[in-house]
Amino acid sequence: MTLPQDNPPDIGKLQTAMNAAVKAHWKAFLFEGIVLALLGLAAMIVPPLASLAVTIFLGWMFLISGIAGLFVTYWARQMPGFWWSLFSAALAVLAGGILLARPVQGILTLTIVVGAYFLAEGVVTIMYALEHRRELSERWSWLLISGVMDLLIAFIIISGLPGSAEWAIGLLVGINLVLGGASLVGVALAARKT
């Protein structure tokens, strides 16, 4: 029996197949990119509504995954770690229920978590940049700038609490959607030309 790792894939064939698939479906990529960019712009124009939508979406995700986890845990109750799995699933159900029952308070909590994430990410990125300044020559400065920008975003979010909860998540999600949509539009237009 031959396993996939026994025969490494031919990278050239894989790239050719991928390019052909993108070229064949460039209109779908273009459509998806435009829709994502428009949703991102809408989120940036009305960030409080986008923040609320993200909180409700996360609430449903936690609730559904927690319920599914409870079923799977019950089904596999003979497996080791049953109680930890049960606790994890129940915690997801609880988190989802709280976010859905009190989405406005959930926005504040999520904003605090996002601010803490940017703070930690900024510190880690700066430390990473400083550790690699010899090996990466002048390129390490881009990492340093990225870390400083993360710290700046964290400062703006955390210092503006609770008011920043109204706009932070919606704005960040909007920016992400616009950039993701623009990249898909770029891929689609490049694939169309080839």
Side-chain angles (χ1 to χ4, degrees):
M1 178 176 184
T2 305
L3 296 176
Q5 53 265 71
D6 292 340
N7 295 325
D10 183 8
I11 299 299
K13 287 182 184 177
L14 195 58
Q15 287 176 333
T16 302
M18 184 67 134
N19 289 338
V22 172
K23 186 175 181 176
H25 303 289
W26 72 270
K27 288 180 184 175
F29 284 99
L30 181 65
F31 178 75
E32 182 181 359
I34 291 170
V35 169
L36 285 177
L38 290 175
L39 287 173
L41 287 173
M44 291 169 66
I45 292 169
V46 191
L49 183 61
S51 295
L52 184 63
V54 168
T55 302
I56 291 170
F57 177 76
L58 286 175
W60 278 110
M61 292 299 294
F62 277 123
L63 186 65
I64 291 168
S65 68
I67 291 170
L70 288 174
F71 281 114
V72 170
T73 300
Y74 178 76
W75 178 67
R77 60 188 173 278
Q78 304 304 325
M79 298 295 289
F82 167 78
W83 292 108
W84 290 112
S85 182
L86 184 67
F87 178 73
S88 174
L91 192 60
V93 169
L94 180 66
I98 290 171
L99 285 175
L100 291 172
R102 300 186 176 268
V104 174
Q105 290 84 355
I107 292 171
L108 178 61
T109 303
L110 289 175
T111 304
I112 292 169
V113 169
V114 167
Y117 168 77
F118 275 105
L119 180 65
E121 181 69 18
V123 170
V124 169
T125 303
I126 289 170
M127 298 309 295
Y128 183 77
L130 294 175
E131 284 286 323
H132 288 86
R133 69 177 171 248
R134 288 189 196 110
E135 292 84 10
L136 297 175
S137 62
E138 63 275 349
R139 292 176 292 174
W140 73 276
S141 61
W142 288 105
L143 286 171
L144 183 66
I145 291 169
S146 174
V148 169
M149 292 304 295
D150 285 344
L151 288 180
L152 180 63
I153 292 169
F155 175 76
I156 291 169
I157 291 172
I158 293 170
S159 68
L161 285 171
S164 62
E166 293 178 15
W167 57 264
I169 292 176
L171 182 63
L172 292 171
V173 167
I175 291 169
N176 182 273
L177 287 172
V178 166
L179 293 175
S183 66
L184 282 175
V185 167
V187 166
L189 294 177
R192 182 187 69 168
K193 290 179 182 178
T194 59

